[in-house]
Amino acid sequence: MEVTCLLLLALIPFHCRGQGVYAPAQAQIVHAGQACVVKEDNISERVYTIREGDTLMLQCLVTGHPRPQVRWTKTAGSASDKFQETSVFNETLRIERIARTQGGRYYCKAENGVGVPAIKSIRVDVQYLDEPMLTVHQTVSDVRGNFYQEKTVFLRCTVNSNPPARFIWKRGSDTLSHSQDNGVDIYEPLYTQGETKVLKLKNLRPQDYASYTCQVSVRNVCGIPDKAITFRLTNTTAPPALKLSVNETLVVNPGENVTVQCLLTGGDPLPQLQWSHGPGPLPLGALAQGGTLSIPSVQARDSGYYNCTATNNVGNPAKKTVNLLVRSMKNATFQITPDVIKESENIQLGQDLKLSCHVDAVPQEKVTYQWFKNGKPARMSKRLLVTRNDPELPAVTSSLELIDLHFSDYGTYLCMASFPGAPVPDLSVEVNISSETVPPTISVPKGRAVVTVREGSPAELQCEVRGKPRPPVLWSRVDKEAALLPSGLPLEETPDGKLRLERVSRDMSGTYRCQTARYNGFNVRPREAQVQLNVQFPPEVEPSSQDVRQALGRPVLLRCSLLRGSPQRIASAVWRFKGQLLPPPPVVPAAAEAPDHAELRLDAVTRDSSGSYECSVSNDVGSAACLFQVSAKAYSPEFYFDTPNPTRSHKLSKNYSYVLQWTQREPDAVDPVLNYRLSIRQLNQHNAVVKAIPVRRVEKGQLLEYILTDLRVPHSYEVRLTPYTTFGAGDMASRIIHYTEPISSPNLSDNTCHFEDEKICGYTQDLTDNFDWTRQNALTQNPKRSPNTGPPTDISGTPEGYYMFIETSRPRELGDRARLVSPLYNASAKFYCVSFFYHMYGKHIGSLNLLVRSRNKGALDTHAWSLSGNKGNVWQQAHVPISPSGPFQIIFEGVRGPGYLGDIAIDDVTLKKGECPRKQMDPNKGILLCGLDSEDLHPGLLPVNLCPRAFVHSANTNQTLPLWKPLFNGRDGQM
């Protein structure tokens, strides 16, 4: 709930600038997270190097108005233009545990509808180093006839890495090279996968029997450590050898328990054995232990090739394969083939006839067939022949040929397939030959050539087959090449000629083909027919939702258009306003013939006519609705995010102001904006400040501005801005404003860096020092930090306030330096004053130095101020005058003392033109603990009303001076 809170926020008078600020998008990619390095390579493209498994974080910084939308995409690299990652619509792209396959070029596309989109890219190079693999090969060759043999050993080391790895070969602890040992040769072979280095031991010598280590390194890039693998070469080193306990082809009956043993016959080191199955994994219930494979109660589905592989990284792996065949039979079919020579498709007396029988069996060649006629075994004769493996038919098919068909040959023929002596049931198929045996015909039943159903309903396509015997019907799609049936198959068999479809969808519409099969019937040209399936579905309309804005008193035309539907026409259109039925609008004669849209005209937009309009369109199958939200309220403001240095900080109050700017979206679409309602609320707080801001007529692209003050550092705020017209409140826009440290050249506005923002006002860590300064507050302190050193909070005393400090615990050593470098400032005055607070508490405090780096001719660092030793558990302020002769930077240098109790901190750094305050206090003599500037002090007394708990600590005497004790003599400021 928002309430008005006074005195929490001061609102500066409103300003507006009459200039168009709409600008096309611009983008820049910056990195964050765990990048090893970002560099420019030799073709001037940005390369982001990161270690595999780390977090990739890229940020697309955009400018432009309105605020551009950002989309991230990726290509696999220069060889491919296809995006391989799902697009990410976010300014920050974050990938946890990045993999090597996620390397490539990343694109940031920013667009805001003004001009052309901005596209920037960066190449991400993922660094990795896998474990190396070492294999050993040897050759034996005759030298000078057969007087002796020469044995050569090759040690091959292979690794996958990025960047390319460096190889080091060692024998024991000694590094090997060509120059130091003539008996070795190290080279890189051609045509190898991955990176490979081969160590060749020529004409093997006794000293060559040793331990060899292959060490691979990517030179500690991204902190990736070296890796190594060791192999011990002996005079018994040999590749693996295998033999099987069974034949390579093993035929078994279903239900039997199968055990296969893979026996090692050689290999040193001892090889590892592994069983695999192709295709697919090992059967469920199979057990592989060492070289023994057991399959209980084997079934037909367990048939396949089983591979036993032995490896010991010496030579090539040894492999033995067992082809397991589990006896089975299925799918018994027959064919009737009329006289082929006479090209007949009918059975005729005096012509030849062939009956064929086939089953799918394992093993196929072990199947036997037997023919019966009228229940008795068929007798072979000159006119009745049985053949096997007809080249025109599938393999292992039995055919019964009837030569010169007689009337006496009519009858019922039965073909029986069996596995002799195996517990596999026989399969048989029966065919009747008579004058009534005729080839098939196929047709579509009357009224079934076109089937029309609604989407989501079942459908049945039917073709009728006549003939004897009646073969199965095969269904396929006609109008879509390579299109699959709803079952996912290109061809589907139906025994009754009916293709049943469940829950049809619109993409199933089209022409379907039915045709007779050439099995379980006549082996003749297939007969075909076609069925048309029409799937009706509800209409699709546009717009599905539309926001219609218009000034009061102006007319509005609402149109709902039909995009697609089946049937493709509008049968009825009904309009409703706020759920209430409206009278039908007048019909335009031209649109009544083939209506594809519906319209509603409002003569004038009023407060009463503003609201939600719905147009429900029907095509007799279903309906769809267009929704219109009609009003005269103003569009939302468009916040301007490219304000230069919107944050203005204040030195001692810990407050800041913020320049809020915006434009009004489409101000001419409705009545003029009269004023804005501004609401601002600190995050995590309930109270809000509300203010009405009057404006004159607002133009499109006009930049409006309001300055928010008395915001507390470092808190963030939610700002809500609502335009008001004569109609009333418009659309509200909201944004979060964050405190950011100002980054600018020093000027008279006296900007102070509180280090509350992660950018730390543009300060950077010096790359030439020993360690870095750390940013933290009381909430982010390490609970196990060293006691009796370092500040508990920043200068403001709030736990949220940040400061910079140096951590002097291990591994820091005496004399280690940490340098914090400011941005580069252009000198526009003769004198400047650097003011800052410091905290130097601990018995091991080293030194805090302030240096000025001049950029006139190269970089020259000069000392401007220095302080050493323990100064107590208090924040103290220093003012240091400097007089740079040209562009300059200031450097805070922390030096580690003799121990870990030496943390030094700084806060609230101010750089301003002019001289420092005249009354300076020597930091080695006396300092004020309340944090007040010496300008605020009476020459002789410390004002209690300004610093009620004030006292003074003398570093020389190590004494705390009481309140109201004279501190200065009023003349020279000395104690």
Side-chain angles (χ1 to χ4, degrees):
M1 178 176 179
E2 293 184 349
V3 297
T4 301
C5 298
L6 301 178
L7 303 179
L8 291 179
L9 177 70
L11 297 170
I12 299 300
F14 172 80
H15 302 279
C16 68
R17 300 177 183 175
Q19 59 180 357
V21 294
Y22 287 107
Q26 295 185 4
Q28 177 188 3
I29 296 178
V30 297
H31 71 93
Q34 298 170 291
C36 305
V37 65
V38 175
K39 62 181 181 181
E40 305 287 333
D41 70 4
N42 56 1
I43 57 174
S44 300
E45 65 173 355
R46 299 190 66 201
V47 181
Y48 180 106
T49 304
I50 187 172
R51 178 173 175 171
E52 185 174 45
D54 286 349
T55 298
L56 169 71
M57 188 180 298
L58 300 176
Q59 187 175 8
C60 189
L61 301 182
V62 296
T63 59
H65 188 69
R67 182 71 167 178
Q69 297 294 315
V70 174
R71 176 190 180 195
W72 284 96
T73 50
K74 171 187 174 290
T75 60
S78 59
S80 172
D81 292 330
K82 293 184 178 180
F83 292 115
Q84 297 194 348
E85 299 288 336
T86 302
S87 298
V88 177
F89 292 89
N90 200 344
E91 292 186 9
T92 301
L93 174 67
R94 182 184 180 91
I95 300 178
E96 304 281 352
R97 296 183 296 276
I98 191 169
R100 63 193 65 179
T101 55
Q102 293 175 302
R105 181 165 294 282
Y106 285 80
Y107 293 86
C108 159
K109 180 179 181 181
E111 55 186 335
N112 62 353
V114 180
V116 298
I119 300 178
K120 295 294 183 180
S121 70
I122 186 171
R123 182 161 62 86
V124 175
D125 194 15
V126 182
Q127 311 280 276
Y128 58 90
L129 177 64
D130 290 345
E131 295 291 338
M133 295 182 59
L134 195 153
T135 57
V136 180
H137 304 267
Q138 63 181 6
T139 61
V140 179
S141 59
D142 292 333
V143 179
R144 297 180 184 178
N146 291 321
F147 289 103
Y148 71 94
Q149 289 183 326
E150 183 179 275
K151 181 183 292 186
T152 301
V153 173
F154 301 86
L155 283 80
R156 178 188 297 261
C157 185
T158 303
V159 71
N160 294 316
S161 70
N162 182 35
R166 179 180 62 183
F167 292 79
I168 298 176
W169 280 101
K170 294 181 179 180
R171 179 192 289 129
S173 59
D174 299 330
T175 302
L176 296 174
S177 66
H178 305 280
S179 58
Q180 297 178 355
D181 191 337
N182 293 330
V184 303
D185 190 13
I186 301 175
Y187 63 93
E188 182 176 341
L190 299 176
Y191 311 114
T192 56
Q193 185 175 2
E195 300 168 58
T196 303
K197 278 292 176 67
V198 173
L199 172 63
K200 179 181 179 182
L201 305 177
K202 301 178 289 186
N203 192 15
L204 206 62
R205 305 161 299 180
Q207 63 266 32
D208 293 330
Y209 293 115
S211 293
Y212 292 87
T213 299
C214 172
Q215 180 177 324
V216 292
S217 170
V218 290
R219 294 160 291 280
N220 202 38
V221 61
C222 291
I224 300 176
D226 296 352
K227 297 183 179 180
I229 186 172
T230 300
F231 182 87
R232 180 163 184 80
L233 182 67
T234 69
N235 57 3
T236 61
T237 299
L242 292 174
K243 71 175 183 179
L244 292 173
S245 63
V246 298
N247 295 328
E248 292 185 354
T249 299
L250 180 62
V251 181
V252 297
N253 295 319
E256 292 183 357
N257 296 327
V258 176
T259 299
V260 181
Q261 287 187 323
C262 186
L263 305 175
L264 283 171
T265 60
D268 183 24
L270 183 66
Q272 299 293 319
L273 294 174
Q274 185 175 8
W275 280 97
S276 61
H277 177 228
L282 291 174
L284 189 65
L287 181 62
Q289 287 185 327
T292 302
L293 174 66
S294 301
I295 307 176
S297 187
V298 71
Q299 301 298 320
R301 61 178 177 271
D302 299 331
S303 295
Y305 290 94
Y306 291 81
N307 307 305
C308 175
T309 305
T311 57
N312 67 348
N313 292 336
V314 179
N316 296 320
K319 183 177 179 180
K320 291 292 183 180
T321 301
V322 176
N323 183 13
L324 179 63
L325 301 177
V326 182
R327 292 185 178 94
S328 64
M329 287 192 300
K330 60 182 180 179
N331 299 335
T333 59
F334 70 89
Q335 289 178 315
I336 303 172
T337 306
D339 199 320
V340 177
I341 297 176
K342 296 182 179 180
E343 299 181 352
S344 176
E345 291 191 348
N346 296 284
I347 297 176
Q348 298 181 19
L349 296 176
Q351 292 185 358
D352 296 344
L353 181 68
K354 180 166 63 176
L355 306 179
S356 303
C357 174
H358 176 80
V359 295
D360 296 329
V362 177
Q364 189 75 51
E365 65 278 3
K366 298 298 183 181
V367 177
T368 62
Y369 295 93
Q370 189 175 3
W371 285 92
F372 296 83
K373 179 184 178 183
N374 298 328
K376 298 180 181 180
R379 294 182 180 180
M380 301 301 102
S381 65
K382 292 181 179 181
R383 291 193 314 102
L384 194 150
L385 304 175
V386 175
T387 60
R388 188 179 173 97
N389 296 332
D390 190 325
E392 298 179 359
L393 299 173
V396 193
T397 298
S398 178
S399 297
L400 178 67
E401 297 189 35
L402 299 173
I403 309 300
D404 187 18
L405 186 66
H406 292 181
F407 182 81
S408 60
D409 295 327
Y410 287 166
T412 300
Y413 292 83
L414 183 141
C415 172
M416 180 178 293
S418 61
F419 275 129
V424 178
D426 298 339
L427 287 183
S428 63
V429 63
E430 190 175 81
V431 57
N432 183 267
I433 303 299
S434 68
S435 59
E436 297 179 355
T437 305
V438 293
T441 62
I442 194 169
S443 62
V444 179
K446 185 178 180 180
R448 301 288 296 173
V450 178
V451 177
T452 302
V453 295
R454 294 191 175 186
E455 190 172 37
S457 302
E460 183 178 271
L461 311 184
Q462 183 178 359
C463 285
E464 290 184 346
V465 178
R466 292 180 175 86
K468 187 177 181 181
R470 288 191 296 182
V473 175
L474 303 179
W475 287 89
S476 60
R477 299 288 293 265
V478 175
D479 51 340
K480 297 180 181 179
E481 292 186 5
L484 301 178
L485 292 167
S487 62
L489 302 172
L491 205 66
E492 187 170 337
E493 175 187 320
T494 59
D496 57 357
K498 296 180 181 179
L499 179 64
R500 296 172 176 85
L501 305 175
E502 300 292 336
R503 298 184 60 83
V504 297
S505 58
R506 63 193 67 181
D507 59 338
M508 296 182 187
S509 296
T511 304
Y512 289 74
R513 177 192 296 115
C514 60
Q515 64 184 37
T516 57
R518 301 181 67 172
Y519 54 89
N520 289 347
F522 276 76
N523 182 20
V524 295
R525 176 182 55 85
R527 275 56 171 168
E528 296 182 359
Q530 293 184 353
V531 178
Q532 178 70 31
L533 175 63
N534 293 331
V535 179
Q536 295 183 331
F537 55 91
E540 295 181 13
V541 295
E542 70 171 1
S544 59
S545 178
Q546 184 177 6
D547 188 9
V548 180
R549 306 291 176 102
Q550 187 59 278
L552 291 173
R554 295 181 184 176
V556 166
L557 180 64
L558 308 180
R559 169 177 286 196
C560 183
S561 300
L562 177 66
L563 286 179
R564 62 186 64 86
S566 179
Q568 180 78 15
R569 63 181 178 83
I570 296 179
S572 63
V574 177
W575 287 90
R576 290 181 174 85
F577 173 57
K578 296 183 178 179
Q580 300 297 318
L581 193 65
L582 294 177
V587 178
V588 180
E593 299 178 0
D596 62 354
H597 65 273
E599 292 183 347
L600 177 67
R601 179 180 178 85
L602 304 180
D603 294 330
V605 175
T606 64
R607 287 183 174 83
D608 293 337
S609 64
S610 297
S612 176
Y613 288 81
E614 178 186 33
C615 177
S616 180
V617 171
S618 172
N619 65 348
D620 293 334
V621 175
S623 62
C626 296
L627 298 178
F628 302 91
Q629 190 66 37
V630 178
S631 75
K633 67 179 182 179
Y635 285 105
S636 61
E638 302 164 315
F639 284 112
Y640 188 67
F641 289 84
D642 299 334
T643 306
N645 295 330
T647 305
R648 310 288 170 83
S649 64
H650 305 285
K651 177 180 171 186
L652 292 178
S653 63
K654 276 288 182 176
N655 289 349
Y656 72 96
S657 60
Y658 194 91
V659 180
L660 186 70
Q661 294 179 315
W662 72 93
T663 60
Q664 178 60 41
R665 178 187 170 195
E666 302 296 340
D668 298 329
V670 296
D671 298 294
V673 175
L674 303 177
N675 60 73
Y676 287 91
R677 180 178 183 268
L678 175 70
S679 170
I680 183 166
R681 177 183 62 85
Q682 180 180 319
L683 293 188
N684 302 322
Q685 299 290 331
H686 298 291
N687 297 336
V689 174
V690 179
K691 175 74 175 181
I693 307 173
V695 294
R696 297 178 180 177
R697 181 172 180 85
V698 179
E699 303 291 340
K700 183 177 177 64
Q702 181 181 3
L703 188 63
L704 309 176
E705 178 180 300
Y706 207 91
I707 301 178
L708 311 174
T709 63
D710 290 340
L711 308 178
R712 297 294 296 170
V713 175
H715 296 292
S716 299
Y717 293 81
E718 180 192 40
V719 175
R720 295 182 178 182
L721 195 62
T722 306
Y724 276 77
T725 64
T726 55
F727 177 80
D731 291 339
M732 182 269 295
S734 67
R735 65 170 293 192
I736 304 297
I737 60 173
H738 302 280
Y739 174 75
T740 56
E741 297 283 6
I743 303 176
S744 62
S745 299
N747 52 53
L748 297 178
S749 64
D750 188 18
N751 284 322
T752 299
C753 181
H754 305 288
F755 301 110
E756 304 298 342
D757 186 80
E758 292 181 356
K759 298 178 182 178
I760 57 174
C761 313
Y763 280 77
T764 57
Q765 307 284 355
D766 196 336
L767 300 179
T768 63
D769 57 8
N770 305 111
F771 65 111
D772 290 341
W773 287 79
T774 302
R775 173 178 170 268
Q776 77 169 19
N777 60 14
L779 302 177
T780 61
Q781 287 178 354
N782 186 348
K784 297 182 179 180
R785 69 189 184 100
S786 304
N788 302 318
T789 187
T793 65
D794 75 337
I795 184 62
S796 70
T798 60
E800 299 87 2
Y802 281 88
Y803 56 88
M804 301 296 293
F805 86 108
I806 60 170
E807 173 59 66
T808 57
S809 300
R810 290 182 180 179
R812 302 278 67 85
E813 297 179 353
L814 176 66
D816 280 358
R817 298 173 183 269
R819 287 186 167 195
L820 189 66
V821 184
S822 77
L824 182 64
Y825 301 108
N826 291 319
S828 56
K830 184 176 181 181
F831 299 104
Y832 289 89
C833 182
V834 182
S835 301
F836 59 93
F837 285 89
Y838 60 87
H839 191 283
M840 301 172 67
Y841 170 56
K843 65 179 181 180
H844 300 144
I845 290 291
S847 300
L848 175 63
N849 303 318
L850 178 68
L851 299 87
V852 178
R853 176 172 292 173
S854 175
R855 290 287 185 176
N856 259 349
K857 297 180 180 178
L860 178 62
D861 297 346
T862 57
H863 277 75
W865 180 91
S866 182
L867 189 63
S868 302
N870 182 9
K871 303 304 176 186
N873 189 14
V874 290
W875 283 101
Q876 311 172 39
Q877 190 175 29
H879 302 286
V880 182
I882 61 174
S883 181
S885 58
F888 67 98
Q889 295 169 288
I890 60 174
I891 302 173
F892 288 95
E893 180 184 66
V895 184
R896 203 255 196 188
Y900 65 91
L901 298 178
D903 296 352
I904 299 174
I906 60 172
D907 197 7
D908 286 15
V909 179
T910 303
L911 176 64
K912 61 182 178 180
K913 296 178 182 179
E915 297 182 353
C916 289
R918 291 183 180 181
K919 297 175 182 178
Q920 291 290 304
M921 182 175 292
D922 188 338
N924 288 296
K925 293 185 177 181
I927 37 84
L928 297 176
L929 300 188
C930 66
L932 294 176
D933 201 318
S934 59
E935 292 177 318
D936 301 322
L937 299 178
H938 185 277
L941 297 176
L942 183 68
V944 174
N945 61 331
L946 293 180
C947 190
R949 292 184 297 165
F951 56 92
V952 172
H953 180 84
S954 174
N956 289 341
T957 62
N958 199 25
Q959 294 180 350
T960 300
L961 305 181
L963 292 172
W964 296 104
K965 181 175 181 178
L967 302 180
F968 306 94
N969 59 18
R971 188 162 47 92
D972 56 5
Q974 298 296 319
M975 294 185 64

